[in-house]
Amino acid sequence: MLVRDSGFDGLVLKVAVMGVETGAGNVFDVGAGEVWDGFVERMTSLGMAGVECLAGIPGSVGGTPVQNVGAYGQEVAETIESVRAFDRERFEWVELDKTACRFRYRESLFNTDEPGRFLVTRVRFRLRLSGEPNLRYADLQRRFVGREGVTLMEVATAVREIRRSKGMLLVEGDPDCRSAGSFFKNPIVGLERLAGIAVAAGAEEGKVPHWPAGEGRMKVPAAWLLEQAGFVKGYGVGAAGISTRHTLALTNRGGATFADVERLQDEIVRGVREKFGIALAREPVLVG
């Protein structure tokens, strides 16, 4: 999250509901305060497939359904059965099934449709015992090319190593880790827009990286758009800049204020919009 320099005039609660309860059918009922990567480590060690590609993501279990956390070819929506939350509008506890959570790319009931209404306290996952690991992502395919019998633990370890190489793993003393993760969402555009994007980038239409996002729509990597617009790794002067290892991470180089980050954010959004006509959306939540 990003907190304005003026702070937040309100009450902040840290949800610390703990515990992992095992149910029938490979169902796990997990407290929102559990460390996410610890849960992933435990599940992969038990041979439970479904979250192995989400290793190394910082934060707690309760945060994962809010943004429908995803990485390296997986999203938590694929394994979440239901979410227990407190409804601040009706002042009652509710159990929301997957459909009610309205999951889509980086969005859900919790952060888009009814932001601020629900306080997540537990999440129920259904995983797959002895399931095959997810190797859809190109980086993982390259890592295990020609290999058979790749284990869930090997995939989780590889994901953490890849994240570390990109400055996207919390490592003490690593300046590229001082970020809020990927700062911009990958925009989703109509298939007809790819030709215009290619022209703006001076590239062949087939050379614009993209992948299906349903109903004739395509997801275009925000990192590619930034780079084509001149916002490359290491870009920026002053306390806030783009990571030297990951185009989408805006880092605090030391002493950065919210205003410094916002200034860089606005510059990037303006540059990408002027070049491609695409409005980038910020991923981190703004507080204050």
Side-chain angles (χ1 to χ4, degrees), residues 2 5 22 26 74 89 98 107 130 140 142 171 175 203 206 216 234:
L2 290 171
D5 297 327
T22 306
N26 304 322
Q74 278 184 335
E89 185 175 293
K98 180 180 294 189
E107 293 182 348
S130 302
L140 292 174
R142 286 191 290 268
V171 178

Side-chain angles (χ1 to χ4, degrees), residues 14 30 126 154 233:
K14 178 182 178 181
V30 190
R126 184 181 294 275
E154 286 178 317
K233 297 180 182 72

Side-chain angles (χ1 to χ4, degrees), residues 16-34 39 42-43 46 48 61 79 81-82 84 95 121-127:
V17 179
M18 307 300 285
V20 179
E21 300 177 4
T22 306
N26 304 322
V27 170
F28 298 86
D29 195 282
V30 190
E34 289 284 341
F39 173 66
R42 179 173 174 178
M43 293 301 102
L46 292 174
M48 292 291 175
V61 166
T79 56
E81 286 247 307
S82 63
R84 179 170 174 77
E95 292 282 343
T121 58
R122 301 195 71 85
V123 185
R124 183 173 293 121
F125 300 88
R126 184 181 294 275
L127 304 179

Side-chain angles (χ1 to χ4, degrees), residues 181-187 197 200-201 208-209 220-236 241-243 245-251 261 264-283:
S182 292
F183 200 90
F184 299 106
K185 298 178 183 180
N186 293 322
I197 293 173
V208 176
V220 179
W224 185 86
L225 295 173
L226 261 68
E227 290 165 358
Q228 296 299 313
F231 302 105
V232 297
K233 297 180 182 72
Y235 179 89
I242 294 178
S243 165
R245 288 181 283 167
H246 196 299
T247 313
L248 287 186
L250 305 191
T251 61
V261 176
L264 179 60
Q265 166 202 275
D266 292 346
E267 180 186 358
I268 293 171
V269 169
R270 183 170 56 252
V272 170
R273 183 173 56 240
E274 290 175 352
K275 188 173 183 67
F276 295 105
I278 292 175
L280 293 175
R282 182 185 61 235
E283 282 203 43

